[in-house]
Structure formats: C-alpha cells, structure tokens
Amino acid sequence: MIKTVITGIKPTGHPHIGNYFGAIKPAIEMSKKSDYACFYFIADYHSLTTTQGAKELTDLSYEVACTWLACGLDPSKVLLYKQSDIPEIFELSWILSNLAPKGLLNRAHAYKAMVEKNREDKVDDDFNVNMGLFCYPILMAADILIMNAEYVPVGLDQKQHVEIARDICNYFNKKYGETFVMPTAIIDRNVSTVLGTDGRKMSKSYNNEIPLFCDRTVLEKKIRGLKTDSSLPNEPKDTNSTIFEFYKLFATRQQVEIMQKKFEEGISWADAKSELFRVMDAYISPMREKYNYYMSHKDEVDSIISEGSKKARELAKLTITKVRNAIGVV
Ligand code: ADP
Ligand code: TRP
C-alpha cells in the first residue's frame, strides 16, 4: 500500500542547516522510496504570524521552494505546492477549530512560551498574542489531514503539533465516523535538534542559524566566528563543541573518526574550523549551484509549483467533499 508523506516549511527566514537535517533531508530520502506518495509544501499562511511584509513573504517563499528543489526534490515524483493555493485547507481549518478544545491549544508550545514571557515581563497574558498564533496547530492539522497523510517528517520541535493533529483527527473520527487517516511524526533521532551558534536550538527566530545557501565567503566567516573554549593548540579539544557537532552532520563516518582522534590529540581550533568549512562546503556546493540556478529561473519554479498545487488541490477537494458529507453540509 502506498503511504502518503507530508511536510511543510514556513517562509519566515533563510532556510538553515537545522531545517535541512531536521526536515528536508529525511523528507527527500523518503521521496526516493517507491512506496511513498510525497506532498511537500511552502507553509506561507503559517508564516503570517511572524513575517513583516509582502515582499519578504514573496521572496522567502521562493527561497523555500528553491531549497526544496536544490536539495533533491524531484517534481516528477513529489508534489511541491503552496499552502495558499489550496483554499480547501482553510475551510477544513475552520471545521476542525470547532472540534479542537481551547485547553488543548493553551498547551501548544509557541502560545505557551508567549504567555510565559508576558508573565515574566509583567504584562497581560494576551499581550502580542493574535489568533493566528493561537490557532496555528489547527491549521497545521488541516494541512496534514486534508492530504490523508500517514507520515510527517519533522524536527523534534514539531512533535507536539503533530500530536495535536492526531488528537483532532480522533475527535473528528469519533464524532462523524472514520474520515481521516491518523498521522505519525517521523523524527530522525540522530539529528532531532540541530543546535545553533549559541548552543540553543538553531532557529530563524533566535538569530543563531547557519544558512544552508549563502555565499561561500559568508559561510567561511560564519564558521570562523564560531565560539570556542580557551584551550590552546596541542591541548585536547572538547568533542561536545559546536564545531564537532556540525562536523558530524556533514562528514562521513570515517572522517568523523579521524577528526575525533585529531580532537583528542589537540588540533588547533583554527585548523578544526578549516576542516569543518572544507567538509561543509564540499557537501553544500552542488546543492548551492542548483539553488542559485532556480533562484534565477523563477518561471521554472512557478510552473513546478502550479502543477504541484493543481494536483494536490484535486486530492484536497475529494477530502473536503467527504468532510462536508460527514458533517452534513451538502
Ligand atoms: P525555524 O524554527 O527556524 O523557524 P521552521 O519552524 O520553519 O524553523 O521549521 C521547518 C522544519 O525544520 C520543521 O520540521 C522543524 O522541526 C525543522 N527544524 C527547525 N529547526 C530545527 C533544528 N534546529 N533542528 C532540527 N530540525 C529543525
Ligand atoms: N509548523 C511547521 C514549522 O513550524 C510547518 C508546517 C506547517 C508543517 N504545516 C505543516 C510541517 C504540516 C509538517 C506538516 O516548522
């Protein structure tokens, strides 16, 4: 039986290596297997909770689309589409919001974090909280359920959202009869959370990210600027450092073993950084070339997305008809 796989990326900033290892790479690997039908999309309406303006949203949406293509998405096998091209998702989101208990959403991490911050700052709990942020997990449930997706490859930070989608799926199926497929998050345990330059989770919102596709010289500067401890050349180096962690992501197992020895023997931080830059650049370069190609051939990207959106919408229409029948809107 063919299983459906879905994942989305918000166009809220330049895609970074956390997005790549946490979501994009596992999703691309799944798409290469013949028993999966894959739906990968640009979650542009989700990004309205944070993006600043029209131009930013348009530009970043292209960046996400070109990143998918550069990282190996094959449009003849995977539907690449834009959430905003599928109005049925928003219809479903409203329907689902009538089944989602407010208490469940009170516990969703992004909203909860905002409330906690407001309490620390001694301002009203709801300060700066809009309904888009509060209802974010319902829209995500609609994205997933409308495509009957079984698997959702995401980073660890999205696990809770997929669990909320599972709860909502259950509420609906119990009330109206079996309609939706139960989704499961697929989290790569080895890279469930890529840490950023400051040791916190790498995120566009923390300004601690290493962009996946920046100019080589910018990448090198970022690597050179990574903070290290004060151990001197010839002294053993800590393999828990950001530098070793990043190295493990990009290097082969054999390269990692060699590097581990060099760390024990006391490679200088400057040399460790050079080695890191070398493996990263070798890994990223072929993808960067493709990325730059697509960024300067946006008409090709548009036509891939419009084809993907058309096909994804056909499925969304079938699901929404089933849902309307189930709830009595005929
Ligand atoms: P960000 O936190 O930078 O805004 P997104 O929320 O757009 O990233 O995440 C897109 C995908 O990338 C999600 O599946 C998310 O779980 C994954 N992801 C984001 N940051 C990381 C990280 N630091 N490590 C692993 N996966 C991540
Ligand atoms: N919420 C996800 C994130 O912040 C993006 C997203 C939106 C998503 N809809 C989705 C991921 C559906 C997987 C499936 O990263």
Short mmCIF file of all heavy atoms in Angstrom, two decimals, residues 79-125:
data_model
loop_
_atom_site.label_atom_id
_atom_site.label_comp_id
_atom_site.label_asym_id
_atom_site.label_seq_id
_atom_site.Cartn_x
_atom_site.Cartn_y
_atom_site.Cartn_z
N LEU A 79 4.85 16.13 -5.07
CA LEU A 79 4.09 17.35 -5.35
C LEU A 79 4.64 18.47 -4.47
O LEU A 79 4.61 18.38 -3.24
CB LEU A 79 2.61 17.14 -5.05
CG LEU A 79 1.90 16.07 -5.88
CD1 LEU A 79 0.39 16.08 -5.62
CD2 LEU A 79 2.17 16.27 -7.37
N LEU A 80 5.19 19.49 -5.13
CA LEU A 80 5.67 20.67 -4.41
C LEU A 80 4.60 21.75 -4.62
O LEU A 80 4.26 22.06 -5.76
CB LEU A 80 7.01 21.13 -5.00
CG LEU A 80 7.60 22.41 -4.41
CD1 LEU A 80 7.96 22.24 -2.93
CD2 LEU A 80 8.86 22.85 -5.17
N TYR A 81 4.04 22.25 -3.52
CA TYR A 81 2.94 23.20 -3.69
C TYR A 81 2.95 24.26 -2.60
O TYR A 81 3.70 24.18 -1.64
CB TYR A 81 1.59 22.46 -3.71
CG TYR A 81 1.25 21.69 -2.45
CD1 TYR A 81 0.42 22.23 -1.47
CD2 TYR A 81 1.77 20.43 -2.22
CE1 TYR A 81 0.11 21.53 -0.32
CE2 TYR A 81 1.48 19.72 -1.07
CZ TYR A 81 0.65 20.27 -0.13
OH TYR A 81 0.35 19.58 1.02
N LYS A 82 2.07 25.25 -2.83
CA LYS A 82 1.95 26.33 -1.84
C LYS A 82 0.64 26.13 -1.10
O LYS A 82 -0.42 25.97 -1.71
CB LYS A 82 1.94 27.69 -2.57
CG LYS A 82 3.29 28.32 -2.59
CD LYS A 82 3.26 29.80 -2.89
CE LYS A 82 2.41 30.18 -4.07
NZ LYS A 82 2.81 31.36 -4.78
N GLN A 83 0.71 26.21 0.22
CA GLN A 83 -0.49 26.08 1.05
C GLN A 83 -1.58 27.06 0.58
O GLN A 83 -2.75 26.70 0.48
CB GLN A 83 -0.05 26.40 2.48
CG GLN A 83 -1.10 26.31 3.55
CD GLN A 83 -0.54 26.85 4.87
OE1 GLN A 83 0.20 27.84 4.88
NE2 GLN A 83 -0.87 26.21 5.96
N SER A 84 -1.16 28.29 0.25
CA SER A 84 -2.14 29.32 -0.12
C SER A 84 -2.86 29.01 -1.42
O SER A 84 -3.88 29.64 -1.74
CB SER A 84 -1.43 30.67 -0.23
OG SER A 84 -0.37 30.56 -1.16
N ASP A 85 -2.36 28.05 -2.21
CA ASP A 85 -3.04 27.68 -3.47
C ASP A 85 -4.20 26.72 -3.23
O ASP A 85 -4.89 26.33 -4.17
CB ASP A 85 -2.04 27.00 -4.43
CG ASP A 85 -1.14 28.00 -5.12
OD1 ASP A 85 -1.50 29.20 -5.15
OD2 ASP A 85 -0.08 27.59 -5.63
N ILE A 86 -4.38 26.30 -1.97
CA ILE A 86 -5.38 25.26 -1.69
C ILE A 86 -6.39 25.76 -0.67
O ILE A 86 -6.27 25.53 0.54
CB ILE A 86 -4.67 23.97 -1.20
CG1 ILE A 86 -3.55 23.68 -2.18
CG2 ILE A 86 -5.65 22.82 -1.00
CD1 ILE A 86 -3.07 22.33 -2.34
N PRO A 87 -7.43 26.49 -1.14
CA PRO A 87 -8.38 27.09 -0.20
C PRO A 87 -9.10 26.07 0.68
O PRO A 87 -9.54 26.41 1.78
CB PRO A 87 -9.37 27.83 -1.11
CG PRO A 87 -9.02 27.48 -2.50
CD PRO A 87 -7.68 26.85 -2.54
N GLU A 88 -9.18 24.83 0.20
CA GLU A 88 -9.87 23.79 0.99
C GLU A 88 -9.20 23.58 2.35
O GLU A 88 -9.85 23.18 3.32
CB GLU A 88 -9.91 22.45 0.22
CG GLU A 88 -10.85 22.43 -0.99
CD GLU A 88 -10.31 23.21 -2.19
OE1 GLU A 88 -9.09 23.52 -2.22
OE2 GLU A 88 -11.11 23.53 -3.09
N ILE A 89 -7.89 23.86 2.43
CA ILE A 89 -7.19 23.71 3.72
C ILE A 89 -7.80 24.66 4.75
O ILE A 89 -7.99 24.31 5.92
CB ILE A 89 -5.67 24.01 3.56
CG1 ILE A 89 -5.01 22.97 2.68
CG2 ILE A 89 -4.97 24.07 4.93
CD1 ILE A 89 -3.54 23.27 2.32
N PHE A 90 -8.14 25.87 4.29
CA PHE A 90 -8.62 26.89 5.24
C PHE A 90 -10.08 26.61 5.63
O PHE A 90 -10.50 26.91 6.74
CB PHE A 90 -8.39 28.28 4.65
CG PHE A 90 -6.95 28.40 4.21
CD1 PHE A 90 -6.57 28.22 2.88
CD2 PHE A 90 -5.95 28.56 5.16
CE1 PHE A 90 -5.24 28.23 2.51
CE2 PHE A 90 -4.61 28.57 4.80
CZ PHE A 90 -4.26 28.41 3.47
N GLU A 91 -10.82 26.01 4.70
CA GLU A 91 -12.18 25.59 5.03
C GLU A 91 -12.11 24.49 6.10
O GLU A 91 -12.82 24.52 7.10
CB GLU A 91 -12.88 25.05 3.76
CG GLU A 91 -14.31 24.62 4.03
CD GLU A 91 -15.05 24.18 2.77
OE1 GLU A 91 -14.57 24.46 1.64
OE2 GLU A 91 -16.11 23.55 2.90
N LEU A 92 -11.21 23.54 5.88
CA LEU A 92 -11.07 22.45 6.85
C LEU A 92 -10.59 22.98 8.20
O LEU A 92 -11.05 22.53 9.25
CB LEU A 92 -10.10 21.37 6.32
CG LEU A 92 -9.91 20.17 7.25
CD1 LEU A 92 -11.24 19.45 7.51
CD2 LEU A 92 -8.90 19.18 6.68
N SER A 93 -9.71 23.96 8.15
CA SER A 93 -9.19 24.53 9.39
C SER A 93 -10.34 25.07 10.25
O SER A 93 -10.37 24.86 11.47
CB SER A 93 -8.17 25.62 9.04
OG SER A 93 -7.60 26.14 10.18
N TRP A 94 -11.29 25.76 9.61
CA TRP A 94 -12.44 26.28 10.37
C TRP A 94 -13.27 25.14 10.95
O TRP A 94 -13.67 25.17 12.12
CB TRP A 94 -13.31 27.17 9.47
CG TRP A 94 -14.59 27.51 10.18
CD1 TRP A 94 -15.84 27.04 9.92
CD2 TRP A 94 -14.72 28.33 11.35
NE1 TRP A 94 -16.74 27.51 10.84
CE2 TRP A 94 -16.08 28.32 11.73
CE3 TRP A 94 -13.82 29.08 12.11
CZ2 TRP A 94 -16.57 29.02 12.83
CZ3 TRP A 94 -14.31 29.79 13.22
CH2 TRP A 94 -15.66 29.75 13.56
N ILE A 95 -13.50 24.11 10.12
CA ILE A 95 -14.31 22.98 10.60
C ILE A 95 -13.62 22.35 11.81
O ILE A 95 -14.24 22.10 12.84
CB ILE A 95 -14.53 21.94 9.46
CG1 ILE A 95 -15.32 22.58 8.31
CG2 ILE A 95 -15.23 20.68 9.98
CD1 ILE A 95 -15.37 21.76 7.03
N LEU A 96 -12.32 22.13 11.69
CA LEU A 96 -11.58 21.48 12.78
C LEU A 96 -11.54 22.34 14.04
O LEU A 96 -11.49 21.83 15.15
CB LEU A 96 -10.14 21.13 12.35
CG LEU A 96 -10.00 20.15 11.18
CD1 LEU A 96 -8.52 19.90 10.87
CD2 LEU A 96 -10.71 18.82 11.47
N SER A 97 -11.57 23.67 13.86
CA SER A 97 -11.48 24.53 15.05
C SER A 97 -12.70 24.34 15.95
O SER A 97 -12.66 24.65 17.13
CB SER A 97 -11.25 25.99 14.69
OG SER A 97 -12.31 26.44 13.93
N ASN A 98 -13.78 23.78 15.39
CA ASN A 98 -14.96 23.52 16.21
C ASN A 98 -14.84 22.21 16.99
O ASN A 98 -15.73 21.87 17.77
CB ASN A 98 -16.20 23.49 15.32
CG ASN A 98 -16.47 24.88 14.77
OD1 ASN A 98 -16.97 25.74 15.47
ND2 ASN A 98 -16.06 25.12 13.53
N LEU A 99 -13.78 21.48 16.73
CA LEU A 99 -13.55 20.22 17.45
C LEU A 99 -12.34 20.29 18.36
O LEU A 99 -12.08 19.38 19.13
CB LEU A 99 -13.34 19.08 16.44
CG LEU A 99 -14.60 18.71 15.66
CD1 LEU A 99 -14.24 18.27 14.28
CD2 LEU A 99 -15.37 17.64 16.41
N ALA A 100 -11.56 21.37 18.21
CA ALA A 100 -10.32 21.48 18.98
C ALA A 100 -10.60 22.18 20.29
O ALA A 100 -10.97 23.36 20.29
CB ALA A 100 -9.29 22.25 18.16
N PRO A 101 -10.43 21.50 21.42
CA PRO A 101 -10.69 22.16 22.70
C PRO A 101 -9.69 23.29 22.94
O PRO A 101 -8.51 23.14 22.62
CB PRO A 101 -10.45 21.05 23.74
CG PRO A 101 -10.27 19.80 22.99
CD PRO A 101 -9.95 20.13 21.58
N LYS A 102 -10.16 24.40 23.49
CA LYS A 102 -9.26 25.52 23.74
C LYS A 102 -8.14 25.10 24.69
O LYS A 102 -6.98 25.50 24.53
CB LYS A 102 -10.03 26.71 24.31
CG LYS A 102 -9.14 27.90 24.61
CD LYS A 102 -9.91 29.15 24.95
CE LYS A 102 -8.95 30.27 25.30
NZ LYS A 102 -8.34 30.14 26.62
N GLY A 103 -8.49 24.24 25.65
CA GLY A 103 -7.50 23.77 26.62
C GLY A 103 -6.31 23.08 25.95
O GLY A 103 -5.17 23.21 26.39
N LEU A 104 -6.60 22.36 24.87
CA LEU A 104 -5.52 21.67 24.14
C LEU A 104 -4.58 22.70 23.53
O LEU A 104 -3.36 22.58 23.60
CB LEU A 104 -6.15 20.79 23.04
CG LEU A 104 -5.22 20.02 22.11
CD1 LEU A 104 -4.53 18.89 22.87
CD2 LEU A 104 -6.01 19.42 20.93
N LEU A 105 -5.16 23.74 22.96
CA LEU A 105 -4.33 24.76 22.31
C LEU A 105 -3.60 25.65 23.32
O LEU A 105 -2.53 26.18 23.03
CB LEU A 105 -5.17 25.60 21.36
CG LEU A 105 -5.77 24.77 20.22
CD1 LEU A 105 -6.72 25.60 19.39
CD2 LEU A 105 -4.70 24.19 19.33
N ASN A 106 -4.18 25.77 24.51
CA ASN A 106 -3.48 26.54 25.57
C ASN A 106 -2.12 25.93 25.85
O ASN A 106 -1.21 26.62 26.29
CB ASN A 106 -4.27 26.50 26.89
CG ASN A 106 -5.47 27.42 26.87
OD1 ASN A 106 -5.58 28.31 26.03
ND2 ASN A 106 -6.40 27.20 27.78
N ARG A 107 -2.01 24.62 25.62
CA ARG A 107 -0.76 23.93 25.96
C ARG A 107 0.24 23.90 24.79
O ARG A 107 1.35 23.42 24.94
CB ARG A 107 -1.06 22.49 26.41
CG ARG A 107 -1.81 22.43 27.74
CD ARG A 107 -1.85 21.03 28.30
NE ARG A 107 -2.69 20.12 27.52
CZ ARG A 107 -4.01 20.01 27.63
NH1 ARG A 107 -4.67 20.74 28.49
NH2 ARG A 107 -4.69 19.16 26.88
N ALA A 108 -0.16 24.41 23.62
CA ALA A 108 0.74 24.38 22.45
C ALA A 108 1.96 25.27 22.74
O ALA A 108 1.83 26.38 23.27
CB ALA A 108 0.00 24.87 21.22
N HIS A 109 3.16 24.78 22.36
CA HIS A 109 4.38 25.41 22.89
C HIS A 109 4.59 26.86 22.51
O HIS A 109 5.00 27.66 23.35
CB HIS A 109 5.62 24.55 22.61
CG HIS A 109 5.96 24.42 21.16
ND1 HIS A 109 6.62 25.38 20.47
CD2 HIS A 109 5.71 23.43 20.27
CE1 HIS A 109 6.77 25.00 19.22
NE2 HIS A 109 6.23 23.82 19.07
N ALA A 110 4.26 27.24 21.27
CA ALA A 110 4.55 28.62 20.85
C ALA A 110 3.68 29.62 21.64
O ALA A 110 4.16 30.65 22.13
CB ALA A 110 4.33 28.78 19.36
N TYR A 111 2.41 29.26 21.78
CA TYR A 111 1.49 30.12 22.54
C TYR A 111 1.89 30.17 24.01
O TYR A 111 1.96 31.24 24.62
CB TYR A 111 0.05 29.60 22.38
CG TYR A 111 -0.92 30.25 23.33
CD1 TYR A 111 -1.30 31.57 23.18
CD2 TYR A 111 -1.46 29.52 24.40
CE1 TYR A 111 -2.17 32.17 24.08
CE2 TYR A 111 -2.34 30.11 25.29
CZ TYR A 111 -2.70 31.43 25.13
OH TYR A 111 -3.56 32.02 26.01
N LYS A 112 2.19 28.99 24.56
CA LYS A 112 2.54 28.90 25.98
C LYS A 112 3.79 29.73 26.29
O LYS A 112 3.86 30.43 27.30
CB LYS A 112 2.79 27.44 26.33
CG LYS A 112 2.26 27.07 27.67
CD LYS A 112 2.35 25.58 27.87
CE LYS A 112 3.08 25.30 29.17
NZ LYS A 112 3.50 23.91 29.27
N ALA A 113 4.76 29.65 25.36
CA ALA A 113 6.01 30.39 25.57
C ALA A 113 5.73 31.90 25.60
O ALA A 113 6.32 32.64 26.38
CB ALA A 113 7.00 30.06 24.47
N MET A 114 4.81 32.33 24.75
CA MET A 114 4.46 33.76 24.67
C MET A 114 3.80 34.20 25.98
O MET A 114 4.13 35.26 26.53
CB MET A 114 3.48 33.92 23.50
CG MET A 114 3.32 35.29 23.03
SD MET A 114 4.72 35.78 22.04
CE MET A 114 3.92 36.94 20.98
N VAL A 115 2.89 33.37 26.49
CA VAL A 115 2.21 33.70 27.75
C VAL A 115 3.23 33.76 28.89
O VAL A 115 3.22 34.69 29.71
CB VAL A 115 1.09 32.67 28.06
CG1 VAL A 115 0.54 32.87 29.47
CG2 VAL A 115 -0.02 32.76 27.02
N GLU A 116 4.13 32.78 28.90
CA GLU A 116 5.14 32.76 29.97
C GLU A 116 6.01 34.01 29.94
O GLU A 116 6.32 34.61 30.95
CB GLU A 116 6.00 31.50 29.89
CG GLU A 116 5.31 30.32 30.56
CD GLU A 116 5.86 28.96 30.16
OE1 GLU A 116 6.96 28.91 29.57
OE2 GLU A 116 5.16 27.95 30.41
N LYS A 117 6.37 34.41 28.71
CA LYS A 117 7.21 35.60 28.57
C LYS A 117 6.44 36.83 29.07
O LYS A 117 6.99 37.67 29.78
CB LYS A 117 7.63 35.78 27.11
CG LYS A 117 8.56 36.95 26.94
CD LYS A 117 9.11 37.11 25.56
CE LYS A 117 10.01 38.32 25.45
NZ LYS A 117 9.36 39.60 25.75
N ASN A 118 5.16 36.91 28.69
CA ASN A 118 4.35 38.04 29.14
C ASN A 118 4.27 38.11 30.66
O ASN A 118 4.31 39.18 31.26
CB ASN A 118 2.95 37.96 28.53
CG ASN A 118 2.97 38.37 27.06
OD1 ASN A 118 3.91 39.02 26.61
ND2 ASN A 118 1.94 37.98 26.31
N ARG A 119 4.17 36.91 31.28
CA ARG A 119 4.10 36.89 32.76
C ARG A 119 5.41 37.39 33.35
O ARG A 119 5.41 38.17 34.30
CB ARG A 119 3.78 35.48 33.26
CG ARG A 119 2.34 35.16 32.96
CD ARG A 119 1.86 33.86 33.56
NE ARG A 119 0.49 33.66 33.09
CZ ARG A 119 -0.17 32.53 33.11
NH1 ARG A 119 0.40 31.45 33.62
NH2 ARG A 119 -1.40 32.46 32.65
N GLU A 120 6.53 36.93 32.75
CA GLU A 120 7.85 37.39 33.23
C GLU A 120 7.95 38.91 33.09
O GLU A 120 8.46 39.60 33.97
CB GLU A 120 8.96 36.78 32.38
CG GLU A 120 9.56 35.52 32.95
CD GLU A 120 10.46 34.85 31.95
OE1 GLU A 120 11.16 35.56 31.19
OE2 GLU A 120 10.43 33.60 31.89
N ASP A 121 7.45 39.42 31.96
CA ASP A 121 7.53 40.86 31.70
C ASP A 121 6.46 41.65 32.46
O ASP A 121 6.34 42.87 32.30
CB ASP A 121 7.38 41.15 30.19
CG ASP A 121 8.52 40.55 29.38
OD1 ASP A 121 9.51 40.11 30.00
OD2 ASP A 121 8.40 40.49 28.13
N LYS A 122 5.61 40.92 33.21
CA LYS A 122 4.53 41.53 34.00
C LYS A 122 3.58 42.35 33.13
O LYS A 122 3.19 43.46 33.47
CB LYS A 122 5.09 42.38 35.15
CG LYS A 122 5.99 41.58 36.09
CD LYS A 122 6.00 42.17 37.49
CE LYS A 122 6.68 41.38 38.55
NZ LYS A 122 7.39 40.17 38.24
N VAL A 123 3.24 41.78 31.97
CA VAL A 123 2.20 42.41 31.14
C VAL A 123 1.06 41.41 31.00
O VAL A 123 1.18 40.26 31.44
CB VAL A 123 2.75 42.82 29.73
CG1 VAL A 123 3.74 43.95 29.85
CG2 VAL A 123 3.36 41.65 28.99
N ASP A 124 -0.03 41.83 30.37
CA ASP A 124 -1.19 40.96 30.22
C ASP A 124 -0.80 39.67 29.49
O ASP A 124 0.02 39.69 28.56
CB ASP A 124 -2.25 41.72 29.40
CG ASP A 124 -3.58 41.00 29.41
OD1 ASP A 124 -3.78 40.11 28.54
OD2 ASP A 124 -4.40 41.30 30.29
N ASP A 125 -1.39 38.53 29.93
CA ASP A 125 -1.11 37.22 29.29
C ASP A 125 -1.24 37.28 27.77
O ASP A 125 -0.50 36.62 27.04
CB ASP A 125 -2.12 36.17 29.77
CG ASP A 125 -1.70 35.56 31.10
OD1 ASP A 125 -0.73 36.05 31.71
OD2 ASP A 125 -2.37 34.58 31.52
#
